[in-house]
Amino acid sequence: MEINKKIAEALNSVRERNPLVHHITNYVTVNDCANITLALGGSPVMADDINEVCDMVSLASAFVINIGTLNSRTVEAMIEGGKRANDLNIPVILDPVGAGATAYRTEVAKRIIGEVKLAVVRGNLSEVKTLYGIEVQTKGVDSGEIIDGNADEFTIAKEIAKDFANKLDAVVAITGAVDIITDGNTLYTAHNGHKIMAKITGTGCMCTSIIGSYLGSVDNKLLAALAGITSMSIAGEVAYDNLDKTKEGTGTLKSKIIDAIYNLDDKVIIERGKINEE
């Protein structure tokens, strides 16, 4: 319950500070990422040209790098923007979408990790395993191994997350049916969300944007990552609960997720948050 109160305080901080969150994200979900950032209380900007990225990052409170739709032009902007953010102590979050799907995608994600100091890495189990150095098979950017909270795989995933976080000196967040969030020392598992969220493209990208908003508002990067994931997962639950199951589906669900983030408050977080410290 105490950690839920800290997340609620972090939410209030976002809404008081209205952090500018600079994204270089993918064109499939860019509008959703902008809207979810606004709904939480942040202010999104999506500048991806290398000629202005450093100037724009300089104005921001956090920098989100999402490799969902890669091209060589934006890769260089990601790197330069990340380095500029590092120079100014602006936190950077990486969403390594589809790492492991192609050699190029994996190479780019590893290059970013090698050249930019990250505050948070958020991905699914397959993506994090790939960056950690374990070879995995993945079908595409929305495909990933499922974390089963009762399986040996869950224990292994926690060990990978902690070791990887220590190597990067960053928070590693693995999202799935059960979410794992760790800074290499403290580890949280979060148990909110609904399986229907996997039927919508962009829930992971939106979650990363929310984490970026928290990173721009609180000094504790572990709390920021946990708050972002918990907020998104609770919103998914609330959105599903509010669906008219007789005539509404995933299109309406996405709108209701954004509504749920907009209406998120202390009471909802404290009542619904299902978080364990391990």
Side-chain angles (χ1 to χ4, degrees):
M1 187 66 74
E2 187 61 35
I3 190 62
N4 291 9
K5 290 179 181 177
K6 289 181 180 179
I7 291 171
E9 289 170 2
L11 173 63
N12 292 329
S13 180
V14 172
R15 290 176 173 162
E16 288 169 7
R17 298 188 182 190
N18 185 226
L20 181 66
V21 184
H22 183 184
H23 296 67
I24 298 183
T25 187
N26 75 78
Y27 55 70
V28 176
T29 63
V30 62
N31 189 58
D32 297 328
C33 292
N35 280 324
I36 206 83
T37 301
L38 285 166
L40 188 74
S43 180
V45 63
M46 273 53 187
D48 66 3
D49 192 282
I50 198 165
N51 292 303
E52 69 168 352
V53 67
C54 289
D55 289 342
M56 194 64 77
V57 165
S58 300
L59 303 173
S61 297
F63 183 40
V64 173
I65 299 175
N66 177 310
I67 68 167
T69 49
L70 279 178
N71 64 68
S72 55
R73 177 186 63 82
T74 54
V75 169
E76 297 309 316
M78 290 172 181
I79 298 289
E80 290 305 309
K83 289 178 177 178
R84 180 62 174 159
N86 288 167
D87 290 342
L88 298 172
N89 293 316
I90 294 165
V92 181
I93 177 171
L94 172 65
D95 191 334
V97 180
T102 67
Y104 177 62
R105 190 170 288 274
T106 303
E107 175 192 338
V108 167
K110 289 185 174 181
R111 182 183 167 198
I112 292 168
I113 286 174
E115 296 188 36
V116 177
K117 176 71 179 73
L118 300 171
V120 178
V121 176
R122 189 220 64 84
N124 62 36
L125 182 56
S126 294
E127 292 159 353
V128 172
K129 275 187 170 182
T130 295
L131 298 185
Y132 183 70
I134 298 173
E135 189 171 336
V136 297
Q137 287 287 344
T138 183
K139 296 176 183 177
V141 297
D142 286 330
S143 301
E145 297 175 75
I146 302 300
I147 300 175
D148 183 342
N150 298 314
D152 290 341
E153 184 67 49
F154 185 56
T155 300
I156 295 169
K158 289 190 288 186
E159 291 172 355
I160 289 170
K162 287 186 79 169
D163 192 45
F164 198 26
N166 280 317
K167 286 180 177 178
L168 295 178
D169 186 26
V171 171
V172 171
I174 304 176
T175 49
V178 178
D179 305 308
I180 297 167
I181 307 98
T182 182
D183 60 1
N185 181 25
T186 303
L187 185 145
Y188 293 104
T189 56
H191 301 259
N192 289 103
H194 193 282
K195 62 184 180 181
I196 196 174
M197 295 171 75
K199 299 293 186 182
I200 305 170
T201 296
T203 51
C205 300
M206 288 188 279
C207 181
T208 300
S209 293
I210 293 174
I211 293 171
S213 297
Y214 280 111
L215 276 175
S217 303
V218 298
D219 293 331
N220 186 328
K221 61 189 178 183
L222 179 61
L223 176 62
L226 180 62
I229 288 169
T230 301
S231 297
M232 185 66 188
S233 298
I234 288 174
E237 291 177 357
V238 171
Y240 180 75
D241 290 347
N242 290 336
L243 271 185
D244 181 342
K245 312 300 191 299
T246 63
K247 60 183 179 181
E248 294 176 337
T250 53
T252 305
L253 181 74
K254 183 167 73 170
S255 295
K256 287 185 181 292
I257 287 174
I258 295 173
D259 288 345
I261 289 291
Y262 180 81
N263 290 310
L264 193 63
D265 60 20
D266 300 20
K267 183 173 182 289
V268 174
I269 291 171
I270 291 168
E271 288 182 353
R272 283 187 174 257
K274 300 173 185 174
I275 300 163
N276 295 323
E277 182 177 345
E278 302 192 15

